[in-house]
Amino acid sequence: MLEEHNNRFLQGRNYSRRQQFDEIEREVLNPLPVLRYELKKQFHATVMKNGYVCLGPDKHYYSVPYRFIGRKIKLLYSSSSVEAFYHYERIAIHKRTRGLYLYTTEKDHLASTHQFVADWSKDKFLGWASSIHEDVRLYIHNIFDRKQHPEQAYKSCLGILGFSRKVGNERLIMACRRGLHYGVYNYKTIHMILEKKMDQYEESLFADELPMPSHDNIRGEDYYK
């Protein structure tokens, strides 16, 4: 019925819709876009001192060039990509990833790649930790050791070392010592130890803790490296 409709002469005319299309419109059509249209949303954020910006709806971190640290930028994101803009200039583009609290990195964006001295650096955090205690320094060192890029550790280290002002150095030292015993290196571990006051357990209880049982469903820390 569609073909019949298109081939029928228009009322009061000696040509059909099909003839109009073939004789006038077909030659001026543009090709379809290479990429399908995608709806995009926008999100405004400030680039953190580690050179990453957080896409709030996904709670995922994306790198941008280090020279934009501290700048407010706009993120345009679709189902497949995340684009970062500063003053209408696109400064970065990444494939969208929805892993919570994970990092997507373009190595050339990072300050450490260019030996750029920023307010945050691995040496600064290790120095801060050393001024508290060697066990704190060792715990912070292990966090850096498990990240592909040092910038990915800055936020966790800042949070951990910030506990020295909230609970005091002694409790932080004991919490890091407990974390070293567990072999788990992240902000959440130290936060949990302090919140549950596990750092105040008797040393005898600490020594007598049962080892983790072997089980196929327990993947261990090596799985997450």
Side-chain angles (χ1 to χ4, degrees):
M1 296 296 294
L2 180 62
E3 285 301 311
E4 182 179 335
H5 174 74
N6 286 333
N7 289 321
R8 186 184 305 130
F9 282 179
L10 293 168
Q11 187 173 4
R13 302 286 190 275
N14 62 350
Y15 52 82
S16 66
R17 292 179 176 83
R18 171 65 65 186
Q19 288 173 308
Q20 285 283 93
F21 174 74
D22 288 337
E23 295 174 5
I24 300 174
E25 298 176 357
R26 183 185 294 277
E27 293 300 321
V28 296
L29 288 177
N30 290 323
L32 291 173
V34 176
L35 301 176
R36 292 176 63 99
Y37 175 79
E38 287 189 306
L39 181 67
K40 293 184 178 181
K41 297 180 180 180
Q42 64 178 353
F43 184 82
H44 295 271
T46 300
V47 181
M48 299 182 298
K49 289 185 179 180
N50 60 356
Y52 287 86
V53 63
C54 181
L55 179 59
D58 294 344
K59 294 182 173 60
H60 189 93
Y61 299 93
Y62 295 91
S63 67
V64 299
Y66 68 85
R67 65 183 180 276
F68 295 99
I69 289 173
R71 305 287 187 181
K72 293 185 181 297
I73 66 171
K74 180 170 70 176
L75 297 176
L76 286 183
Y77 62 99
S78 67
S79 60
S80 62
S81 66
V82 176
E83 299 172 274
F85 288 86
Y86 180 71
H87 289 175
Y88 304 102
E89 174 192 0
R90 190 172 73 183
I91 59 175
I93 181 169
H94 295 279
K95 181 179 178 181
R96 188 177 179 188
T97 306
R98 290 176 173 79
L100 290 174
Y101 305 111
L102 299 179
Y103 291 81
T104 295
T105 306
E106 174 65 42
K107 186 177 179 180
D108 197 50
H109 289 166
L110 302 181
S112 58
T113 305
H114 303 273
Q115 289 77 49
F116 172 80
V117 180
D119 289 343
W120 290 358
S121 67
K122 180 178 179 179
D123 289 341
K124 179 173 181 176
F125 283 111
L126 290 175
W128 182 2
S130 294
S131 70
I132 299 173
H133 194 272
E134 175 60 22
D135 288 340
V136 180
R137 189 204 68 81
L138 182 57
Y139 193 86
I140 295 297
H141 172 78
N142 284 332
I143 291 178
F144 277 108
D145 198 44
R146 283 159 174 75
K147 297 295 184 181
Q148 185 177 5
H149 303 288
E151 285 86 349
Q152 296 170 354
Y154 292 169
K155 199 166 182 288
S156 291
C157 293
L158 184 69
I160 291 170
L161 295 173
F163 282 126
S164 64
R165 293 188 293 268
K166 298 176 182 177
V167 302
N169 286 348
E170 290 303 316
R171 287 197 64 191
L172 178 58
I173 292 168
M174 293 303 297
C176 287
R177 195 170 291 166
R178 176 60 60 88
L180 288 167
H181 175 76
Y182 290 150
V184 182
Y185 306 102
N186 54 51
Y187 169 83
K188 288 183 178 180
T189 297
I190 300 301
H191 180 266
M192 180 192 70
I193 291 172
L194 292 170
E195 185 178 49
K196 305 293 184 182
K197 298 184 178 180
M198 297 167 64
D199 58 295
Q200 299 176 6
Y201 287 178
E202 295 289 337
E203 286 295 325
S204 58
L205 293 177
F206 180 74
D208 294 338
E209 286 180 348
L210 295 174
M212 182 70 74
S214 177
H215 192 283
D216 290 341
N217 287 336
I218 299 175
R219 292 172 288 194
E221 64 177 86
D222 291 338
Y223 178 85
Y224 297 97
K225 289 184 179 179

